[in-house]
Amino acid sequence: MDINFKKPAVQKTRIPASRIFAIRKLSENHFDPTWHAHSEYQLFLVLEGSGTKFIGNTMKSFGKGDLTFIGPNIPHLWRSEDYYFDPQSDKRSKGLVIYLNGSALEKFIEKEEFNQLKILLGKVRHGMEIHGETATETIDLMHGLLHVHGMESVIQLLKILGVLAKSNEYNLLHYGEILDEPKEVETNRINIVYNYAFTNFKKKITLDEVAALLSMTSTSFSRYFTAKTSKTFSYFIAELRISHACKLLSNSENMSVSQICYDSGFNTLSNFNKQFKTFVGVTPKEYRQKFLTL
């Protein structure tokens, strides 16, 4: 399946000049498939849909209830499962997103009363995945924000930030720090690679064929990809395959481990078992058993 990236990867502000934040409900067949970045902080809740999210150099599966808070200029992508791109599918991807004006927020954080907010915004520059009671409370407040306006909306927003600032129920997602907005040519290149990888990870992919997409030698591409993503291309492909296998193991009881191995792009069961345990910490059978006993 080919995806035509029409949107610019480095996107302009989503917030009107007269506001410090904007909240939007999303309802599409699939989420935006473009790896992109922007200058706002973004708090994103998945209401419906599933797939794989890329936050900086971290890749993780997402589903309903996934709540992620990211800082400015972190390249990101919520890539819906393939069946959401099927024109005949009746599945929808729905989300609730808050964009926050960083320069407006940063005027507050130098004041003593906003010290917790300053610490939070520092953490968010690595991306945060929020869970537990914090996620539940934040989600309720986000829905409430849809129904208030003016000063009440700002108070509601500060309540959300206050809940997040006091919590330790989160995982950081991006390792390293992003200070500058990525160049559009770079994000467009990575989009080409990501799109090709998503379409072809079930079969053998060589460095030469991927490098050719960017008119590079395999050696140059290997160095380039590692520099931009903090991982080798082979590691990235292994991540995609293991992520796909995890979804099948937890949702496809009629498929054997052997079938899942080959459907995920592995050539031998022994290599699949070895790679799976390296990435996940348990064998595929042990992973499946965890879901069967829930």
Side-chain angles (χ1 to χ4, degrees), residues 5-268:
F5 297 110
K6 294 182 179 180
K7 292 187 178 181
V10 179
Q11 298 184 2
K12 295 182 179 180
T13 182
R14 285 93 176 293
I15 304 174
S18 59
R19 299 181 61 88
I20 64 169
F21 78 94
I23 182 168
R24 296 175 187 168
K25 290 193 80 168
L26 309 176
S27 180
E28 304 288 345
N29 291 103
H30 55 78
F31 294 129
D32 181 2
T34 308
W35 196 70
H36 65 281
H38 46 70
S39 61
E40 298 86 10
Y41 292 83
Q42 176 178 327
L43 181 60
F44 182 60
L45 168 65
V46 177
L47 297 171
E48 288 184 27
S50 62
T52 304
K53 64 181 178 183
F54 295 81
I55 310 296
N57 53 25
T58 295
M59 181 184 81
K60 295 191 73 174
S61 297
F62 72 81
K64 182 178 179 179
D66 185 89
L67 182 62
T68 307
F69 195 12
I70 61 174
N73 304 326
I74 297 179
H76 55 278
L77 161 64
W78 277 260
R79 207 279 186 181
S80 302
E81 302 282 10
D82 284 350
Y83 46 77
Y84 287 93
F85 292 90
D86 184 348
Q88 305 304 315
S89 174
D90 60 356
K91 288 186 174 293
R92 303 287 289 177
S93 295
K94 297 182 180 181
L96 184 59
V97 59
I98 301 174
Y99 298 106
L100 300 105
N101 184 320
S103 58
L105 283 178
E106 286 155 12
K107 290 178 181 178
F108 289 111
I109 62 176
E110 297 308 321
K111 304 300 181 184
E112 185 177 333
E113 293 89 344
F114 290 96
N115 187 55
Q116 280 187 314
L117 177 58
K118 183 176 183 178
I119 294 170
L120 172 66
L121 297 186
K123 293 175 183 176
V124 169
R125 288 189 174 274
H126 299 275
M128 296 172 65
E129 184 178 68
I130 302 145
H131 52 85
E133 291 298 321
T134 302
T136 301
E137 188 173 356
T138 301
I139 289 167
D140 286 344
L141 289 168
M142 289 176 72
H143 284 293
L145 185 57
L146 288 166
H147 306 292
V148 291
H149 306 281
M151 284 186 64
E152 286 187 33
S153 69
V154 176
I155 293 169
Q156 185 82 353
L157 176 65
L158 289 175
K159 286 181 181 178
I160 292 170
L161 294 174
V163 169
L164 297 175
K166 291 182 289 186
S167 176
N168 59 4
E169 293 180 303
Y170 64 85
N171 302 315
L172 294 181
L173 293 171
H174 174 77
Y175 298 93
E177 191 161 4
I178 295 174
L179 299 174
D180 300 319
E181 188 173 278
K183 295 179 180 178
E184 186 171 339
V185 65
E186 303 300 341
T187 50
N188 286 342
R189 282 177 170 178
I190 295 297
N191 265 310
I192 291 170
V193 176
Y194 277 14
N195 183 42
Y196 189 82
F198 266 113
T199 305
N200 296 286
F201 73 87
K202 293 185 181 183
K203 65 182 185 181
K204 183 179 179 180
I205 302 177
T206 67
L207 274 178
D208 285 341
E209 66 186 276
V210 183
L213 297 173
L214 304 185
S215 301
M216 292 182 176
T217 66
S218 58
T219 302
S220 296
F221 170 75
S222 183
R223 286 198 298 262
Y224 170 80
F225 188 84
T226 302
K228 297 302 177 185
T229 66
S230 304
K231 64 186 75 174
T232 65
F233 184 71
S234 61
Y235 186 94
F236 169 68
I237 293 298
E239 279 187 308
L240 280 180
R241 290 171 175 165
I242 295 297
S243 177
H244 180 73
C246 286
K247 292 168 189 172
L248 293 180
L249 286 165
S250 58
N251 296 310
S252 302
E253 292 183 27
N254 295 328
M255 291 183 73
S256 69
V257 171
S258 178
Q259 288 174 315
I260 290 171
C261 160
Y262 297 114
D263 188 79
S264 301
F266 293 93
N267 292 323
T268 66

